[in-house]
Amino acid sequence: MEAWYHYVLLVVVGFVVGFINTIAGGASLISLPVLIFLGLPPSVANGTNRVAIAFQTAIGVAGFKSKGVSTFPFNIYLGLAALVGSIIGASIAVDIKGETFNRILAIIMIVVVLIIVFKPKINLEDMQERLTGKYLWVGMIAFFFIGIYGGFINAGIGFVILLFLHYFHRMSLVRANATKVAVVCIYTLAALAVFILNDKVIWKVGLVLAIGNGLGAWFSSRVSVNKGDGFIKTFLVIMVIAMAIKLWFFT
């Protein structure tokens, strides 16, 4: 990470990641391998990436709120449940061996590609949301486990969150996206704290990546949620497959 163009690359990658993560999800599958390829140990790349994710999701929340899209206090309840789980997941992540982490990331990449390609089409028609009572409690339990995964690696979790919020809580894609970025912001702060306490964050790299992530998130949160969906899907599938092969065979 000594060459100046590495930091330019981080800003560009961050913008793409911030845009894709806010409009759909899964783009940490781009930033994590890039950080590893630039020489960061896997656990440090994982922790450093959380700086950018925290910044990106905070900007995304502000962007959605500026458009009048908010699911408060529902997003706070889910976020707090996920926060507890994320502490567990991050604690596991800081101690895992680099080669094992790379193999797990490669497998997750392929699984997420399958979700991207075969996930059910989301209907944007208005529907009656289910955000209280038993639906809220089931959602909090589900997001506790989502938080464990999010704290561990986070990559690809956006798709799971969107599908759960849509099919279980019956939220539109726009409101599900707004809820997603708020929840991820909350639990990422807790996961980041765990990585910081274990000295797994390189701040200079994380903050440079965060500049790109934040710009991408702000732009993405203020445009149509369907804009460029086909391009994003194709781009992400190609990149994820290539990086998964690299991580599995050339660790």
Side-chain angles (χ1 to χ4, degrees), residues 205-217:
V205 175
L207 291 172
V208 171
L209 183 63
I211 293 172
N213 277 50
L215 291 172

Side-chain angles (χ1 to χ4, degrees), residues 208-228:
V208 171
L209 183 63
I211 293 172
N213 277 50
L215 291 172
W218 180 256
F219 180 75
S220 179
S221 66
R222 298 184 64 82
V223 300
S224 169
V225 295
N226 283 326
K227 187 175 181 62

Side-chain angles (χ1 to χ4, degrees), residues 130-160:
R130 305 187 296 191
L131 309 182
T132 59
K134 65 180 181 181
Y135 299 106
L136 174 60
W137 286 107
V138 172
M140 291 178 66
I141 293 171
F143 272 80
F144 166 75
F145 290 102
I146 286 173
I148 293 177
Y149 175 80
F152 177 72
I153 194 170
N154 198 70
I157 197 64
F159 296 111
V160 176

Side-chain angles (χ1 to χ4, degrees), residues 104-124:
I104 292 173
L105 180 56
I107 293 171
I108 289 172
M109 284 176 151
I110 298 302
V111 172
V112 172
V113 164
L114 295 176
I115 294 175
I116 294 171
V117 174
F118 297 109
K119 71 180 177 69
K121 183 176 178 58
I122 293 179
N123 183 3
L124 296 181

